[in-house]
């Protein structure tokens, strides 16, 4: 079987990660194929080589046998990566939901605090207004009570003055009557003493 010499110039690619057992086997088999080709005799005046077909295909069969295991491992790695990505996506989604719920909770708490502050301010304003209204009402009641008390005191003063005037007038009348009786008694005892025409008593004034 003939093969182009340019194959010997190519270099196998190596993974950045540590190769698995199957990859190492495949790599060694490919190196064996490369060595097998490079050590084969050249066809004169051509870029081709003579190779042992049976040995070449035997080596390639070994490569293919190990490729199946390598593919299975690659599929397993891809599935594991997919599982990790799905798990990371699920965790990210869960974290986003928790963050959203926490933000909503904080927002609700902030709204509750603001509402409580507004209600407290309204209650304070209402209380101040009620206190001011009670103060004005109390002041008005005090003024009314003071006016009523002053009016009653003035009426009592007038009634007291009228009563005192009436008592004094009665006392004056009684004194005049007593004076008259005294004079009459003296006239009876001393007929010649002070003959004076008795004066009529003044009429009693009625209390106004």
């Amino acid at each position: 079987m003939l093969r182009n010499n340019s194959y010997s110039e190519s270099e196998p690619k190596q993974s950045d990660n540590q190769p698995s057992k199957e990859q190492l086997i495949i790599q060694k088999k490919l190196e064996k194929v490369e060595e097998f080709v490079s050590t084969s005799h050249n066809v004169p005046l051509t870029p081709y080589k003579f190779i042992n077909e049976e040995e070449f295909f035997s080596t390639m069969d070994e490569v293919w046998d190990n490729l199946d295991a390598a593919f299975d491992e690659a599929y397993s790695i891809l599935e594991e990566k997919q599982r990790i990505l799905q798990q990371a996506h699920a965790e990210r989604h869960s974290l986003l939901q928790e963050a959203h719920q926490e933000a909503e909770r904080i927002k609700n708490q902030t709204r509750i605090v603001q509402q409580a502050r507004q209600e407290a301010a309204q209650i304070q304003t209402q209380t101040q207004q009620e206190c001011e209204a009670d103060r004005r009402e109390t002041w008005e009641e005090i003024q009314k009570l003071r006016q009523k008390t002053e009016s009653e005191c003035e009426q009592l003063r007038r009634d007291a003055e009228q009563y005192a005037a009436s008592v004094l007038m009665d006392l004056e009348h009684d004194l005049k009557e007593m004076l008259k009786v005294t004079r009459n008694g003296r006239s009876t005892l001393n007929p010649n003493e002070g003959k004076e025409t008795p004066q009529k008593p003044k009429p009693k004034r009625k209390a106004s």
Side-chain angles (χ1 to χ4, degrees):
M1 184 175 183
L2 300 177
R3 178 175 176 82
N4 196 317
N5 287 333
S6 61
Y7 178 82
S8 61
E9 297 176 359
S10 63
E11 294 181 0
K13 296 182 179 180
Q14 296 183 355
S15 174
D16 294 336
N17 298 327
Q18 185 177 0
S20 63
K21 179 180 178 181
E22 289 77 8
Q23 290 175 337
L24 290 174
I25 294 174
I26 293 172
Q27 184 176 356
K28 288 181 180 180
K29 295 299 181 182
L30 290 175
E31 289 175 354
K32 183 178 179 180
V33 171
E34 184 177 358
E35 182 181 0
F36 175 76
V37 172
S38 62
T39 57
S40 298
H41 296 289
N42 294 326
V43 177
L45 303 177
T46 66
Y48 301 103
K49 288 179 176 288
F50 290 105
I51 62 172
N52 188 325
E53 184 176 356
E54 182 179 356
E55 186 177 355
F56 176 79
F57 281 114
S58 176
T59 304
M60 291 303 298
D61 288 340
E62 293 178 0
V63 172
W64 282 110
D65 290 340
N66 287 279
L67 278 176
D68 292 336
F71 286 147
D72 292 339
E73 182 182 4
Y75 287 138
S76 298
I77 292 174
L78 289 175
E79 290 177 354
E80 181 66 16
K81 287 184 177 179
Q82 186 66 22
R83 186 188 65 80
I84 293 174
L85 288 175
Q86 290 177 352
Q87 182 178 359
H89 179 73
E91 291 179 356
R92 174 178 173 273
H93 182 69
S94 177
L95 289 174
L96 287 176
Q97 281 188 335
E98 291 179 0
H100 179 72
Q101 292 175 356
E102 182 66 15
E104 191 67 22
R105 184 183 65 82
I106 294 174
K107 181 179 178 181
N108 292 334
Q109 286 183 348
T110 304
R111 187 184 301 111
I112 292 173
V113 170
Q114 291 178 350
Q115 184 177 0
R117 289 179 178 175
Q118 291 177 356
E119 291 179 355
Q122 291 177 356
I123 292 173
Q124 183 179 5
T125 302
Q126 182 179 358
T127 303
Q128 291 177 349
Q129 292 175 352
E130 291 177 353
C131 290
E132 182 64 21
D134 291 341
R135 187 188 65 81
R136 288 196 301 267
E137 184 178 356
T138 303
W139 174 254
E140 291 175 357
E141 290 179 356
I142 291 174
Q143 290 297 107
K144 290 179 181 179
L145 182 61
R146 184 179 64 82
Q147 293 176 358
K148 181 179 179 181
T149 303
E150 290 178 352
S151 177
E152 291 178 353
C153 289
E154 181 64 21
Q155 184 64 36
L156 288 174
R157 186 185 63 79
R158 289 196 297 267
D159 293 342
E161 289 179 354
Q162 291 177 359
Y163 176 75
S166 176
V167 170
L168 290 175
M169 289 179 64
D170 291 340
L171 180 60
E172 182 182 5
H173 180 268
D174 292 340
L175 289 175
K176 288 181 178 180
E177 289 295 328
M178 291 176 63
L179 180 60
K180 180 180 178 182
V181 171
T182 302
R183 287 177 178 176
N184 290 334
R186 289 180 61 188
S187 298
T188 302
L189 293 175
N190 299 309
N192 296 324
E193 182 180 357
K195 293 182 179 180
E196 296 179 356
T197 304
Q199 297 179 355
K200 294 182 179 181
K202 294 182 180 180
K204 183 179 180 182
R205 290 188 302 174
K206 294 182 179 180
S208 58

